[in-house]
Amino acid sequence: MIYYISLLLFCLAPIIGRKFQYSGSWDPYEKKYGRFSEAERLKMLQTSREMFQFGYDSYMKYAFPEDELNPIDCNGRGPDYYDRSNININDVLGDYVLTLVDSLDTLAIMGNSSEFQNAVNLVIEYLDFDKDNTVQVFEATIRVLGSLLSAHLIIIDRDKPFGDMRPLDYNNELLSLAHDLAARLLPAFDGTATGVPYPRVNLQDGVPTDCTNETCTAGAGTLSLEFGVLSRLLEDPVYESKARRVVKALWKYRSNVTGLFGNVIDIQTGEWKGIMSGLGAGLDSFYEYLLKSYILFGEEEDFKMFNETYESIKFHMKRGRTSCNNGNGNPPIYVNVNMKTGDLLNNWVDSLQAAWSGVQVSAHVLVSLVLNGDIEEAICCHALYYSIWRKYDAIPERYNWHLKAPDVKFYPLRPEFVESTYFLYQATKNPFYFHVGRDIINSLNEHTRTDCGYATVHDVITKELEDRMESFFLSETCKYLYLLFDKDNHVNKEASRYVFTTEGHILPITRKLRQKVWSPSSDITVSPIVDTRTNTTNCESISSSSRYFLPMESEYLEQMELAVGLTDSTDRPNS
């Protein structure tokens, strides 16, 4: 009994101390962010659901069966057949009802069984991959293949965690469509000396004759979840083996000095054509999938590669003071460096890097890693992007932290900052992140909502809009906002049983997906992933201050605001 009392006092001591220190609520940051009422949470839950429904209904009314919605002109958008070289459009749009496909598991997570069943039937009726369209292998995999597999697994789940989602007479059509698409992507892996695939493939004819030999690391190395799940469902190793060969090839070509990867590689020679190493565009999801492949499949090799890469990233890319909530000096920040030397390469971060906090949370919470300060670092990285969001009501595609201004000013409704907000709330349960989510919702509704959907912000300073609503707004941005405020959602209650793909599609961690039936050792049981949130005796897992008070000390939160030019030294937040 004395042991348990001592343990309780040890865990509560920091809380009691800070409660005494801040009694009287004089701190304006504590006053603003310290509480979030249940009524307001429910209001934001309803608002986030309405945002998705408005965007989805508008797509179905004005754009379906085309790929995307133009929310200003209220019509649909498909591939650019007049300019086949327009990769900004044609890499993503393949004339395969993209937004509907990408939205499937969001409908299920929100419990809308009738519309989910209707959407599945429409996908079965309209989706056809036999098209003379050249698409990017990466985008087709994460948006279309991943969604088809996620929806299929939801349908066949005997426990029906989201309700009865099975359409009448469903006969594995989504799995068959996923198989068809993946087979059309396979030619991208042929004819390369390294095993790293061509970046694009024609859905009818294979690799185009004029296809480039250069591809980005993330585009090539972010296939393992979707290809691995397909292989294990089909009991056919070919898809997973192709994806794993890519990862091994990229691993082989990493710098033998820093352990870092470049952002662009020649698929024939293995030469790095882009030597920038960072956490954003061109690299982001590669790191994410090293970790999540281990979580989903239990392959120790994936964990080893992630762990080594993570240590290299922390050693070479991190700048500023050591701790988020202690010490002097500039706020911690991860920068872009030369992969060969670790030297600073430029002075900007991009919007995709905002997902890194979510990866750090996953590393700590899902895999029970004892990594030095990873939750604290995630909190600090997120606070940087929150300050940028508050400055512009959006995240510019590139933000120059030296000039305190955007280098690239558009914001296409990306989900990465929302995603990290969601994962940090799940890890800390701190009401601070509800406030962040509410700010995001209010900004989106104020600046991006149109008569027919939500539009890309062309310029975060002027708030000029661009007529495009990309599919990830419904598949990720709205989904993560909804899950942030829906504390009773099955995904949140059983968080250790799911992995989110880089497109936000959920995949269950099951015995079937953790075994390779084609392997001689497939009968070996893989150790389950441990969820540290169930470890009630480890009071150092998430610091008590991060869980019960502001996740960042007020002085350091204010310093972050100063660092991005959100406030000057005379400004303080209003309550």
Side-chain angles (χ1 to χ4, degrees):
M1 174 62 85
I2 295 176
Y3 167 79
Y4 290 109
I5 293 173
S6 300
L7 181 65
L8 179 62
L9 290 174
F10 178 74
C11 289
L12 288 178
I15 305 173
I16 296 169
R18 264 194 91 191
K19 187 172 183 180
F20 177 81
Q21 178 183 355
Y22 289 120
S23 60
S25 298
W26 60 268
D27 187 325
Y29 288 93
E30 291 277 357
K31 187 175 181 181
K32 180 176 181 179
Y33 295 111
R35 295 177 180 82
F36 200 90
S37 71
E38 179 67 1
E40 187 67 9
R41 181 189 70 82
L42 293 173
K43 178 182 176 182
M44 289 299 102
L45 175 62
Q46 180 59 33
T47 303
S48 61
R49 185 186 188 96
E50 191 276 334
M51 287 175 63
F52 169 82
Q53 200 62 51
F54 175 63
Y56 176 83
D57 289 345
S58 295
Y59 165 76
M60 295 303 296
K61 180 177 181 180
Y62 298 110
F64 175 82
E66 295 191 71
D67 285 318
E68 283 183 352
L69 169 68
N70 292 327
I72 297 175
D73 286 345
C74 302
N75 55 25
R77 175 191 299 229
D80 187 348
Y81 290 110
Y82 297 101
D83 182 6
R84 297 277 184 163
S85 66
N86 184 2
I87 60 176
N88 181 50
I89 297 298
N90 293 332
D91 271 3
V92 178
L93 309 187
D95 191 19
Y96 38 35
V97 292
L98 174 63
T99 296
L100 180 63
V101 173
D102 218 2
S103 301
L104 289 176
D105 68 327
T106 309
L107 289 166
I109 285 171
M110 291 185 176
N112 192 342
S113 58
S114 60
E115 187 53 36
F116 175 84
Q117 293 167 0
N118 177 58
V120 169
N121 287 329
L122 288 172
V123 167
I124 294 170
E125 179 181 356
Y126 282 89
L127 185 53
D128 179 9
F129 295 116
D130 191 19
K131 304 285 180 68
D132 181 22
N133 293 324
T134 298
V135 297
Q136 192 184 79
V137 173
F138 168 72
E139 295 290 359
T141 297
I142 67 170
R143 299 200 196 199
V144 183
L145 181 60
S147 184
L148 292 171
L149 292 171
S150 176
H152 170 71
L153 290 166
I154 288 171
I155 290 170
I156 66 173
D157 190 331
R158 294 180 180 179
D159 294 333
K160 302 178 181 179
F162 306 104
D164 187 1
M165 296 291 163
R166 191 180 189 95
L168 185 66
D169 299 324
Y170 179 74
N171 190 28
N172 298 330
E173 288 91 347
L174 297 187
L175 179 60
S176 297
L177 286 166
H179 190 187
D180 182 23
L181 173 59
R184 295 172 187 272
L185 300 179
L186 281 185
F189 297 83
D190 299 331
T192 74
T194 63
V196 178
Y198 286 95
R200 298 177 182 89
V201 67
N202 184 281
L203 293 175
Q204 285 184 334
D205 301 327
V207 178
T209 56
D210 61 347
C211 191
T212 178
N213 284 326
E214 295 181 5
T215 190
C216 72
T217 303
T222 309
L223 310 172
S224 55
L225 293 190
E226 293 84 358
F227 276 48
V229 167
L230 181 64
S231 273
R232 296 181 189 220
L233 289 175
L234 297 176
E235 300 182 359
D236 179 354
V238 64
Y239 301 99
E240 182 172 351
S241 64
K242 295 287 187 183
R244 289 196 171 275
R245 185 186 176 199
V246 176
V247 174
K248 291 179 180 179
L250 293 171
W251 186 257
K252 172 185 175 182
Y253 292 115
R254 76 194 189 283
S255 169
N256 58 8
V257 175
T258 65
L260 298 175
F261 302 82
N263 61 332
V264 179
I265 193 170
D266 188 305
I267 65 175
Q268 302 297 351
T269 66
E271 178 186 358
W272 291 104
K273 297 296 185 178
I275 61 170
M276 187 186 80
S277 195
L279 300 176
L283 286 150
D284 54 333
S285 53
F286 172 69
Y287 311 130
E288 176 188 356
Y289 270 36
L290 288 179
L291 173 63
K292 291 183 177 179
S293 290
Y294 169 66
I295 295 170
L296 188 61
F297 302 126
E299 300 281 354
E300 292 293 335
E301 183 181 28
D302 295 328
F303 174 71
K304 179 178 180 293
M305 287 188 288
F306 173 79
N307 211 19
E308 289 186 25
T309 302
Y310 189 37
E311 292 302 322
S312 296
I313 287 169
K314 292 176 72 174
F315 184 81
H316 291 288
M317 296 183 195
K318 187 179 177 182
R319 301 291 192 274
R321 65 176 179 272
T322 302
S323 173
C324 184
N325 274 320
N326 290 289
N328 300 314
N330 294 321
I333 185 174
Y334 284 88
V335 299
N336 299 317
V337 300
N338 185 320
M339 64 165 290
K340 299 177 181 180
T341 65
D343 295 333
L344 180 69
L345 204 60
N346 53 53
N347 296 325
W348 51 262
V349 294
D350 67 38
S351 59
L352 294 176
Q353 185 176 326
W356 179 246
S357 294
V359 175
Q360 290 183 301
V361 170
S362 297
H364 183 97
V365 177
L366 291 177
V367 195
S368 302
L369 295 179
V370 185
L371 297 172
N372 293 329
D374 49 336
I375 288 292
E376 289 295 312
E377 287 189 12
I379 287 169
C380 218
C381 291
H382 177 272
L384 169 67
Y385 281 94
Y386 181 43
S387 296
I388 296 172
W389 185 280
R390 289 179 59 209
K391 185 175 181 179
Y392 299 108
D393 285 319
I395 302 289
E397 196 71 351
R398 285 185 184 175
Y399 177 80
N400 190 308
W401 45 264
H402 180 68
L403 300 177
K404 301 183 182 180
D407 280 345
V408 180
K409 297 179 181 179
F410 72 89
Y411 168 64
L413 308 176
R414 288 200 188 277
E416 285 75 16
F417 175 57
V418 187
E419 176 185 356
S420 288
T421 303
Y422 164 68
F423 280 114
L424 275 166
Y425 176 74
Q426 288 302 308
T428 67
K429 300 300 189 226
N430 194 302
F432 175 87
Y433 297 104
F434 282 157
H435 287 274
V436 177
R438 182 174 61 185
D439 284 352
I440 294 170
I441 287 174
N442 290 341
S443 297
L444 291 173
N445 279 322
E446 180 178 356
H447 298 294
T448 73
R449 183 162 176 150
T450 69
D451 290 340
C452 301
Y454 290 84
T456 291
V457 179
H458 182 72
D459 186 323
V460 298
I461 296 175
T462 66
K463 301 301 185 291
E464 177 189 356
L465 297 179
E466 185 177 316
D467 198 10
R468 187 176 189 183
M469 188 181 84
E470 294 212 46
S471 66
F472 53 65
F473 176 70
L474 298 182
S475 72
E476 296 184 83
T477 306
C478 290
K479 178 186 293 163
Y480 285 124
L481 284 170
Y482 180 82
L483 284 173
L484 171 65
F485 292 105
D486 188 12
K487 66 180 183 181
D488 296 322
N489 194 281
H490 171 75
V491 172
N492 293 332
K493 287 187 172 181
E494 300 293 341
S496 62
R497 298 185 182 183
Y498 291 95
V499 167
F500 287 87
T501 71
T502 197
E503 187 71 9
H505 300 304
I506 58 169
L507 298 172
I509 301 172
T510 65
R511 180 178 294 274
K512 181 176 179 61
L513 295 183
R514 291 174 69 77
Q515 292 180 334
K516 294 182 289 188
V517 297
W518 57 85
S519 170
S521 59
S522 62
D523 57 337
I524 298 176
T525 300
V526 182
S527 299
I529 301 300
V530 178
D531 184 352
T532 59
R533 282 168 293 182
T534 63
N535 186 357
T536 57
T537 63
N538 183 9
C539 57
E540 291 301 310
S541 178
I542 305 295
S543 71
S544 55
S545 60
S546 295
R547 186 179 291 275
Y548 295 108
F549 295 95
L550 289 182
M552 279 185 74
E553 298 282 355
S554 296
E555 63 179 292
Y556 295 118
L557 188 57
E558 182 179 16
Q559 184 191 40
M560 192 69 78
E561 295 174 354
L562 291 168
V564 304
L566 172 62
T567 60
D568 60 37
S569 59
T570 63
D571 292 329
R572 298 300 298 272
N574 297 319
S575 59

